[in-house]
Amino acid sequence: GCATRKCNFFRWAGKALRHTDQASRLTWRRFDGQEHKASGRFRAQDILQGATGDCWFLAGLSVIAVREDLVRRIFPLAAQRPDLGLHQVNLFADGGWSSIIVDNCLPINEKGEPAFAKLPKGTELWPALVEKAYAKLGGSYLGISGGFVSEAMFDLTGFPTEVINMDLPGFDSELTFARLLSFASLRFPIGCSTQRRGLRGSDGLVDCHAYSCLEVVELNNMKVGHQPKIQDFFSGEGGRDAKRRRAEPEIEAAAAGGHGTLRLLRIRNPWGKREWNGDFSDESEKWTNALRARLGKTSKNDGTFWMPWSEFIMRFSILEICHAHQGWHSTSKRVTFSAPSRREWCQCKWFEFEVFDRTWAFLSFLQRSKRGRSRDNFWFLDVSFSVFCRGCLIEQVSLLLIAVL
């Protein structure tokens, strides 16, 4: 009975939890009609940021949405009960998978629209449900305002993440792009973000904002368009035919990546709008019919755009990669360290792994997240580890892992 009005049944638990006046003005609406449903169609374009500052989370969710094996683990269709208004969302919380149950009742603003993850007509309901589950895990929608794409990808997949700071001295653009091509071929989720640049959005990008990287391509011997200048029409000789030839778009070899190659990235803004307006943007003169057909380029203002690698590294600061290998498996082990006393400078935990064949593996150590636990009195501790090989036979290799506090 509380579809479009404020409900007096649920009250604030106390003034400490009543975050903002804006939150107190929100009402709740149940999305149980045919306008929005969770039918199992997962698309990045259905993910649109709302009023809370979780661009980092939705940017991570956008790149995961293109991997059906990953998104179906988060939102298993067999566990959904839309007839009851109940949905299950699986999240990798504090080192283990947790099932979060949410209903389809979402906060709406004074215009009657979803206050947070937007739901334009025809889009799917699942992004708003995943956002609600993550907010529930983080204590509130305010609790998930501000973060890193790598954090979101880790909590959504359980796979280890890597952060590349492109502003650090010694950054190698050639090596990084080669790695990005490899990551893209493996369909690893990739995020990126800008820092404060003071450009006031003149290039269409948003400062201190998280984006999704949907594609990375390198094209050899590709031609790009070039718009002739007005003086080209009146310089030189040759009469009408020469002027007609000059008026045709000049085609030149692409040199954006050097050595006659074209390096492009397809980026998505979780706002679903506000795009890059430089080279290879929607209205750029660099596009040719062949290039549009090759990359499936459209002029739709949906927050998705292409930009050259040379421009990307000048305007973005952080790359975040989730090493989500397809077909890999994982296991978690929970341990507890107590604070070291003055008599003991460290504590050790031993883990033994038996490896029967050559393989790749990632070993990660993580501590409980403080997100949503502002009142909990605990501190992060420095943890290091060493890997030893014992009885390194060809038939059976045993790795001994020591974690030291």
Side-chain angles (χ1 to χ4, degrees), residues 26-29 31 105-109 113-116 132 141:
L26 296 178
T27 56
W28 293 77
R29 172 188 163 193
F31 288 80
C105 195
L106 301 174
I108 60 175
N109 56 28
E113 302 169 343
F116 303 118
K132 182 177 182 179
Y141 282 99

Side-chain angles (χ1 to χ4, degrees), residues 32-47:
D32 55 0
Q34 293 299 314
E35 183 180 2
H36 301 285
K37 51 187 177 180
S39 64
R41 183 187 64 178
F42 302 106
R43 303 185 307 172
Q45 54 264 43
D46 286 335
I47 302 172

Side-chain angles (χ1 to χ4, degrees), residues 94 367-374 376-380:
D94 294 331
Q367 301 181 61
R368 291 177 61 199
S369 172
K370 283 199 171 186
R371 190 179 294 278
R373 299 190 179 106
S374 59
D376 289 2
N377 187 20
F378 69 93
W379 296 89
F380 291 134

Side-chain angles (χ1 to χ4, degrees), residues 213-233:
C213 182
L214 301 179
E215 287 188 65
V216 182
V217 298
E218 182 175 61
L219 304 175
N220 296 314
N221 301 318
M222 205 68 189
K223 305 294 183 179
V224 299
H226 173 72
Q227 183 67 33
K229 298 180 174 60
I230 188 66
Q231 56 264 33
D232 294 340
F233 287 85

Side-chain angles (χ1 to χ4, degrees), residues 323-366:
H323 291 261
H325 290 272
Q326 298 186 65
W328 280 35
H329 303 278
S330 64
T331 184
S332 301
K333 177 70 175 178
R334 191 178 300 273
V335 297
T336 301
F337 287 103
S338 59
S341 64
R342 293 182 178 180
R343 295 183 178 180
E344 54 178 359
W345 65 272
C346 71
Q347 298 179 43
C348 296
K349 300 289 183 179
W350 303 75
F351 306 91
E352 187 171 355
F353 300 88
E354 288 186 314
V355 183
F356 297 94
D357 199 357
R358 287 181 176 270
T359 186
W360 283 93
F362 286 96
L363 301 175
S364 302
F365 286 86
L366 60 143

